[in-house]
Amino acid sequence: MFERLIVEEKKKKEEKNEKLLANLCECRLILCHGYVSDVFISICVPCFVKVALSKEESEKTRKEVEMALLALSCIKGENHIEKGSYLKGMIEIIKYHQENHNLTHLAYQSAWKFLIDRFQNDLTLKKVIMNELHFVREATRELEELSKSVNCNRKGKEENETAKNVPN
């Protein structure tokens, strides 16, 4: 049923509701646990990438972007969709986040997971990671943030324990 609604919405020339299409695709993907047909993928992947490319800064838009990226990361199996049709968009999403830090950790990891799952045996992604996405620099930055967080948590616990041990 969802696939029929998705295909009908995609075929509309005028008054196509992109938000409805994205929501239908997300629902269908969740219901089928990530395994979907190539036809479905050829409709939904570009739809999700389009949603995720939104640079609007509202809370609602950020949630839509996160859901689109999360849905992309849930796609399982080998799909026969042309990789070039979404690689450029995914690179733009990741690069924009690296510059603006606009995504949550979950959304950012979902974008990477989708790319890595699709290109794990492809030299194209290796070149993109090294030359455009600066994966090592990003991983280093994230590790530094994580270590700062861990250090802050330790310091807070130590201060609490010291405060408890001080007699009144």
Side-chain angles (χ1 to χ4, degrees), residues 18-100:
E18 296 289 336
K19 208 171 248 192
L20 173 64
L21 184 60
N23 289 336
L24 289 170
C25 289
E26 287 169 3
C27 290
R28 176 66 176 106
L29 189 59
I30 290 167
L31 287 173
C32 64
H33 306 289
Y35 290 99
V36 290
S37 70
D38 289 341
V39 172
F40 179 76
I41 295 297
S42 69
I43 294 171
C44 292
V45 168
C47 178
F48 291 145
V49 171
K50 184 176 181 179
V51 169
L53 281 168
S54 175
K55 292 177 175 69
E56 187 180 320
E57 293 298 322
S58 73
E59 182 68 24
K60 183 179 179 183
T61 302
R62 276 203 324 260
K63 287 180 181 182
E64 289 171 357
V65 167
E66 185 167 326
M67 281 302 298
L69 291 171
L70 185 60
L72 280 171
S73 73
C74 292
I75 297 172
K76 297 176 183 165
E78 279 297 315
N79 306 104
H80 303 286
I81 181 174
E82 186 180 330
K83 293 174 182 175
S85 65
Y86 55 80
L87 178 61
K88 186 177 178 183
M90 294 303 293
I91 290 170
E92 186 178 334
I93 291 162
I94 291 172
K95 285 173 82 172
Y96 186 79
H97 170 72
Q98 289 174 344
E99 294 168 7
N100 299 288

Side-chain angles (χ1 to χ4, degrees), residues 54-146:
S54 175
K55 292 177 175 69
E56 187 180 320
E57 293 298 322
S58 73
E59 182 68 24
K60 183 179 179 183
T61 302
R62 276 203 324 260
K63 287 180 181 182
E64 289 171 357
V65 167
E66 185 167 326
M67 281 302 298
L69 291 171
L70 185 60
L72 280 171
S73 73
C74 292
I75 297 172
K76 297 176 183 165
E78 279 297 315
N79 306 104
H80 303 286
I81 181 174
E82 186 180 330
K83 293 174 182 175
S85 65
Y86 55 80
L87 178 61
K88 186 177 178 183
M90 294 303 293
I91 290 170
E92 186 178 334
I93 291 162
I94 291 172
K95 285 173 82 172
Y96 186 79
H97 170 72
Q98 289 174 344
E99 294 168 7
N100 299 288
H101 303 287
N102 63 319
L103 299 174
T104 63
H105 285 294
L106 177 62
Y108 187 57
Q109 289 171 352
S110 296
W112 273 106
K113 182 180 182 324
F114 177 74
L115 274 181
I116 290 169
D117 286 351
R118 303 277 112 27
F119 288 91
Q120 61 188 350
N121 297 322
D122 192 326
L123 292 176
T124 307
L125 183 61
K126 291 176 186 173
K127 290 176 186 173
V128 168
I129 285 173
M130 290 187 314
N131 299 329
E132 292 184 55
L133 298 179
H134 311 289
F135 184 77
V136 174
R137 183 181 67 205
E138 281 300 298
T140 303
R141 185 189 60 75
E142 294 229 355
L143 284 172
E144 287 172 356
E145 284 181 20
L146 183 60

